[in-house]
C-alpha cells in the first residue's frame, strides 16, 4: 500500500509499505478516504518531537471504511464509513472512565504523560498513522464512530481533531457570559477555537497571528476582531490597552511549539532545540490575561522544558488548563453542531491533494504557501 | 471601565447575529474555583480490568515510569542499528530526565543518516528535492526558494574554503 514515509527533518516521501495487520482482537483495519495534515504534524516534520523514527507514517486526522475487524470488535462492522478520533483509548482505564480519552493508560508503553496517538512518534505509542491507504485502528469498540449518512466526509475528517481541539480550548477557558477571549494563532485550531468561544457566551473574541490571509479568514469565519502581531511593538501591551488595561478574561494558546515573534524563543526553541519548542504564544498568553484569569493551552509542546514566566502565573493567580482534546467525549455534541449548521468545519479546508504528493503538501502547509490553511490528503482509491 | 452582567438572555440580544451564541454556556463552569464535583467513583477506579494483551512480537521500549507494557502498542519501526542502541540507553531513564529525551533526539538524527545509507543499500537514491517539497515551493514561492538555495550555496562555499585554508 502507499503510505507517507518520514525520512528526517523536512523530508518525507510516499512509498510502498506492507499492509497493516490485525494485531489485537479489538483492532480494525480501515481503508482511508481522507487524511489531514495537522499543525502538530509540523512538529514531527521539523524533527522536534523526540523518538520520531525514520520510516514512520504520520497522520492522526483521518476517516475511512472498515475493511477488516478483530474477533472482539462489535461496535463497527466491515463497510462502515467511520471517523477515527486521534486519541487511541481503551475506554476501560481510570482515565478513560473519567472521559480523559487523551490520557489513556493502556495505549502507550513509551511514555506515561500522553496516551497513544496515531502517527505521532514513539513518544505517543509508535503507531503508524492515516496518511496512507490503510491503517490499523486499535480499540475499535471505543474510538471509531460511524459517520452519519447526511454528513459531508470533509466535515467528518475535521471532527477527528480540529473541531474538538478548538472546542475544548474554549471549554477549558471556562468562559463566562460576556468574557473577552484572546486566541493566539489563526491556524485551523485557533480559527475553530475562536468560533467556539461564541458558543460558550463570549462577549468579545480577539485573534492574533502574523499571516494576513489567515487573519482575514478568521475574521470572516468566526466574526471576531483580528490583529497582526508583526505590526505591534509588544502584543501584551497591545492587549492590555484594548481591554481597559486589565487583560483578557481568557487567553487561548492555539500555537504551540512553532511560535514566531521572539528571537530568543525561536533560536532556543526551534533552531537549537534547547527547549521543547518556542513558547512565545504561551509567554504572551500568561502575560496578557487578567489577574485571576484563565489560560487554556491546546498548542502542542515537546516533552522537555520551556521558558515561560511561571512567576507571573503565581503572582497573577492564574489558572492554567490544558490537555489533548478528549475527542470521544465531545463528539456527540459536535456532530450535532455540524448537523445543525452551527459549525461548518469543511470551510477551513483550502487544499485537497493526492496522497502521492504528500511531500509538496507538507511544504505548502509548513511554509504557508498558496494561502494554505488546511490541506487534506486523498488516497488513490478515494479519488475514483 | 466596562461593566459586565450575568443576565444571559439580555446579553444574548447583542449577539443575535452569531449563530449558536451561548448555546453551550455554563456559568457554573468556573475553573478558577477548581473544586470538581466528585462522585467518589474516581477513587475506586485506580485498578481496572485490563484489555487483552497484544502479543509482544516486536521490540517495544517501555517507560520506566510504568510497570507493564500497555495492552496495545504500535509496531511501527522497531529500534534497530546504532539509533536503536541509543534509544535503548535512553529508556534507562525516566521521562523526567534529560538523559531520556536528549539521547532520543540524538538517535533521531542518527536514524536519519541510517535511513540514507539504507536507501543506497537498497539501490534507491533519495530524491532530496522532491522529499523536501521543493516543487511546491518553486511553484508558489520561487523567490523564497532561490534565496534559500543561494544562502545554502554561499554557506557551503565559505565552510569549504575555511576548511581548505586550515590545511
Amino acid at each position: 500500500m502507499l503510505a507517507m514515509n518520514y525520512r528526517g527533518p523536512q523530508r518525507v516521501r510516499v512509498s510502498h509499505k506492507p499492509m497493516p495487520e490485525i494485531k489485537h482482537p479489538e483492532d480494525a483495519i480501515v481503508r482511508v478516504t481522507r487524511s489531514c495534515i495537522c499543525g502538530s504534524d509540523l512538529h514531527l516534520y521539523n524533527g522536534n518531537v523526540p523518538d520520531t523514527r525514520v520510516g514512520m507514517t504520520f497522520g492522526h486526522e483521518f476517516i475511512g471504511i472498515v475493511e477488516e475487524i478483530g474477533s472482539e470488535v462489535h461496535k463497527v462492522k466491515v463497510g462502515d464509513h467511520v471517523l477515527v478520533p486521534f486519541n487511541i483509548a481503551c475506554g476501560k482505564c481510570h482515565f478513560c472512565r473519567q472521559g480523559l480519552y487523551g490520557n489513556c493508560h493502556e495505549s502507550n508503553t513509551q511514555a506515561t504523560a500522553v496516551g497513544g496517538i496515531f502517527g505521532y512518534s514513539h513518544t505517543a505509542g509508535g503507531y503508524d498513522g492515516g496518511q496512507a491507504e490503510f491503517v490499523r485502528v486499535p480499540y475499535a469498540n471505543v474510538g471509531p464512530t460511524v459517520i452519519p449518512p447526511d454528513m459531508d466526509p470533509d466535515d467528518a475528517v475535521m471532527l477527528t481533531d480540529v473541531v474538538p481541539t478548538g472546542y475544548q480550548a474554549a471549554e477549558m477557558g471556562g468562559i463566562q457570559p460576556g468574557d473577552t477571549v484572546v486566541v493566539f494563532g489563526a491556524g485551523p485550531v485557533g480559527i475553530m477555537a475562536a468560533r467556539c468561544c461564541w458558543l460558550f457566551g463570549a462577549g468579545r473574541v480577539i485573534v492574533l497571528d502574523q499571516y494576513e490571509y489567515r487573519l482575514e479568514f478568521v475574521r470572516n469565519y468566526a466574526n471576531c476582531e483580528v490583529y497582526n502581531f508583526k505590526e505591534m511593538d509588544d502584543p501584551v501591551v497591545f492587549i492590555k490597552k484594548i481591554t481597559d488595561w486589565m487583560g483578557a478574561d481568557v487567553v487561548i494558546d492555539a500555537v504551540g511549539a512553532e511560535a514566531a515573534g521572539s528571537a530568543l524563543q525561536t533560536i532556543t526553541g526551534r533552531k537549537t532545540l534547547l527547549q521543547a519548542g518556542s513558547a512565545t504564544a504561551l509567554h504572551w498568553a500568561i502575560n496578557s490575561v487578567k489577574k485571576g484569569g484563565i489560560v487554556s493551552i491546546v498548542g502542542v509542546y515537546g516533552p522537555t522544558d520551556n521558558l515561560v514566566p511561571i512567576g507571573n502565573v503565581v503572582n497573577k493567580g492564574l489558572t492554567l488548563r490544558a490537555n489533548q482534546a478528549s475527542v470521544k467525549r465531545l463528539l456527540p455534541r459536535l456532530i450535532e453542531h455540524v448537523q445543525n449548521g452551527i459549525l461548518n468545519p469543511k470551510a477551513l479546508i483550502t487544499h485537497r491533494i493526492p496522497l502521492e504528493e504528500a511531500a509538496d503538501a507538507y511544504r505548502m502547509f509548513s511554509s504557508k504557501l498558496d494561502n494554505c490553511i488546511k490541506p487534506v490528503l486523498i488516497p488513490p482509491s478515494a479519488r475514483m | 471601565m466596562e461593566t459586565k452582567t450575568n443576565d444571559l438572555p439580555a446579553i444574548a440580544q447583542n449577539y443575535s447575529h452569531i449563530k449558536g451564541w451561548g448555546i453551550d454556556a455554563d456559568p457554573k463552569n468556573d475553573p478558577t474555583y477548581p473544586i470538581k464535583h466528585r462522585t467518589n467513583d474516581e477513587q475506586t477506579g485506580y485498578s481496572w480490568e485490563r484489555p487483552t494483551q497484544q502479543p509482544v512480537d516486536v521490540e517495544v521500549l517501555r517507560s520506566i515510569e510504568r510497570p507493564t507494557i500497555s495492552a496495545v502498542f504500535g509496531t511501527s519501526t522497531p529500534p534497530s542499528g546504532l539509533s536503536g542502541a541509543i534509544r535503548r540507553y535512553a529508556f534507562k531513564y525516566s521521562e523526567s530526565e534529560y538523559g531520556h529525551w536528549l539521547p532520543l533526539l540524538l538517535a533521531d538524527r542518527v536514524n536519519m543518516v541510517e535511513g540514507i545509507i539504507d536507501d543506497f543499500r537498497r539501490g534507491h537514491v533519495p530524491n532530496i528535492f522532491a522529499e523536501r517539497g521543493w516543487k511546491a515551493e518553486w511553484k508558489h514561492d520561487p523567490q523564497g526558494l532561490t534565496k534559500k538555495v543561494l544562502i545554502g550555496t554561499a554557506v557551503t562555499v565559505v565552510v569549504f574554503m575555511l576548511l581548505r585554508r586550515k590545511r
Side-chain angles (χ1 to χ4, degrees):
Chain A
M1 67 159 184
L2 286 177
M4 174 271 189
N5 186 326
Y6 173 72
R7 307 310 300 171
Q10 301 195 359
R11 281 182 54 221
V12 302
R13 65 182 180 230
V14 173
S15 57
H16 288 278
K17 289 178 82 168
M19 282 284 291
E21 296 170 1
I22 299 280
K23 299 273 186 187
H24 182 272
E26 288 182 67
D27 280 358
I29 304 298
V30 167
R31 177 166 56 82
V32 178
T33 52
R34 298 273 192 292
S35 177
C36 297
I37 301 177
C38 176
S40 60
D41 283 330
L42 299 181
H43 310 326
L44 299 170
Y45 179 68
N46 289 325
N48 292 345
V49 180
D51 217 354
T52 303
R53 301 181 192 172
V54 167
M56 191 175 204
T57 297
F58 300 166
H60 57 269
E61 300 179 0
F62 61 91
I63 59 172
I65 293 165
V66 177
E67 288 280 316
E68 191 183 348
I69 53 174
S71 58
E72 292 178 17
V73 175
H74 50 79
K75 206 189 133 201
V76 294
K77 59 183 190 306
V78 171
D80 281 347
H81 200 184
V82 292
L83 67 89
V84 182
F86 74 88
N87 330 104
I88 299 172
C90 74
K92 292 180 177 173
C93 72
H94 175 66
F95 306 101
C96 284
R97 281 163 48 184
Q98 292 186 64
L100 297 168
Y101 294 101
N103 309 99
C104 175
H105 212 58
E106 291 287 8
S107 58
N108 185 2
T109 301
Q110 280 90 349
T112 55
V114 62
I117 299 175
F118 290 97
Y120 211 79
S121 84
H122 279 69
T123 295
Y127 300 89
D128 273 329
Q131 289 165 12
E133 290 188 285
F134 295 88
V135 60
R136 172 193 166 215
V137 175
Y139 296 133
N141 291 323
V142 181
T145 300
V146 177
I147 300 169
D150 58 338
M151 183 173 279
D152 189 315
D154 284 348
D155 280 328
V157 76
M158 299 294 275
L159 283 165
T160 60
D161 182 353
V162 177
V163 182
T165 300
Y167 184 89
Q168 187 167 317
E171 181 193 51
M172 289 191 300
I175 297 167
Q176 300 292 298
D179 270 357
T180 295
V181 185
V182 167
V183 180
F184 281 112
V189 167
I191 293 167
M192 191 52 66
R195 176 68 187 94
C196 290
C197 286
W198 297 119
L199 306 187
F200 290 93
R204 191 178 175 196
V205 180
I206 301 162
V207 177
L208 274 77
D209 200 285
Q210 64 171 330
Y211 294 104
E212 282 299 332
Y213 78 93
R214 290 188 165 196
L215 289 170
E216 187 60 29
F217 183 92
V218 71
R219 186 208 318 266
N220 295 325
Y221 182 84
N223 227 321
C224 54
E225 294 171 48
V226 298
Y227 299 100
N228 190 328
F229 69 75
K230 281 182 125 177
E231 294 167 3
M232 304 167 185
D233 289 334
D234 185 334
V236 171
V237 175
F238 177 82
I239 290 167
K240 291 278 175 69
K241 270 188 194 170
I242 63 170
T243 55
D244 286 336
W245 297 97
M246 296 287 277
D249 299 293
V250 176
V251 179
I252 293 170
D253 170 5
V255 181
E258 304 290 333
S262 158
L264 176 70
Q265 291 277 1
T266 300
I267 291 166
T268 57
R270 288 165 59 190
K271 304 296 182 194
T272 58
L273 299 185
L274 292 172
Q275 53 167 333
S278 163
T280 308
L282 183 53
H283 186 103
W284 288 344
I286 289 168
N287 287 338
S288 57
V289 74
K290 74 174 185 186
K291 293 174 196 171
I294 299 158
V295 175
S296 169
I297 311 166
V298 289
V300 172
Y301 293 92
T304 54
D305 301 339
N306 278 103
L307 285 172
V308 292
I310 197 71
N312 289 354
V313 174
V314 177
N315 290 333
K316 292 173 76 172
L318 304 186
T319 298
L320 302 186
R321 291 184 90 186
N323 208 340
Q324 299 285 350
S326 184
V327 180
K328 183 183 164 60
R329 175 177 68 82
L330 298 169
L331 267 182
R333 183 68 169 157
L334 295 175
I335 288 174
E336 207 176 283
H337 282 339
V338 172
Q339 287 179 319
N340 293 337
I342 302 291
L343 295 175
N344 175 21
K346 67 174 177 293
L348 274 66
I349 298 173
T350 51
H351 292 75
R352 291 168 180 81
I353 300 169
L355 170 67
E356 300 91 306
E357 295 172 24
D360 289 333
Y362 267 90
R363 173 56 57 200
M364 287 177 71
F365 192 39
S366 171
S367 299
K368 315 289 187 291
L369 302 174
D370 198 30
N371 290 351
C372 186
I373 290 176
K374 189 70 176 174
V376 175
L377 300 174
I378 305 181
S381 67
R383 302 199 298 268
M384 289 170 187
Chain B
M1 184 156 295
E2 113 187 64
T3 52
K4 288 206 293 194
T5 168
N6 285 328
D7 184 355
L8 202 59
I11 303 173
Q13 286 177 4
N14 299 331
Y15 298 96
S16 56
H17 60 292
I18 293 175
K19 196 170 185 182
W21 186 89
I23 59 175
D24 289 338
D26 178 8
K28 289 181 182 163
N29 175 16
D30 181 0
T32 59
Y33 195 73
I35 298 177
K36 181 180 174 184
H37 174 67
R38 288 187 174 273
T39 60
N40 291 332
D41 288 342
E42 294 90 346
Q43 309 310 319
T44 60
Y46 289 136
S47 62
W48 54 87
E49 188 189 337
R50 298 193 66 204
T52 309
Q53 178 65 54
Q54 177 181 334
V56 183
D57 53 5
V58 295
E59 182 180 358
V60 183
L61 299 175
R62 177 176 59 82
S63 164
I64 62 169
E65 293 183 39
R66 58 177 300 138
T68 56
I69 285 181
S70 54
V72 305
F73 51 85
T75 54
S76 170
T77 52
S80 63
L82 176 59
S83 64
I86 299 169
R87 294 189 207 283
R88 288 182 200 104
Y89 169 81
F91 273 82
K92 291 178 179 170
Y93 295 91
S94 81
E95 294 160 58
S96 178
E97 298 282 345
Y98 290 111
H100 181 72
W101 299 111
L102 298 183
L104 284 177
L105 282 170
L106 173 66
D108 291 347
R109 300 300 173 262
V110 171
N111 198 194
M112 181 187 71
V113 177
E114 288 173 335
I116 292 171
I117 294 169
D118 194 47
D119 272 343
F120 280 113
R121 206 167 48 80
R122 292 165 192 264
H124 174 83
V125 180
N127 184 343
I128 304 286
F129 301 107
E131 289 176 355
R132 296 180 76 89
W134 281 11
K135 193 179 86 182
E137 193 146 14
W138 181 248
K139 184 177 174 190
H140 298 291
D141 185 19
Q143 278 187 328
L145 181 62
T146 307
K147 195 171 142 192
K148 209 183 279 182
V149 170
L150 287 176
I151 291 171
T153 307
V155 170
T156 308
V157 168
V158 168
V159 170
F160 181 72
M161 288 177 71
L162 285 172
L163 288 173
R164 275 194 62 177
R165 200 169 63 175
K166 278 184 183 171
R167 283 180 199 159

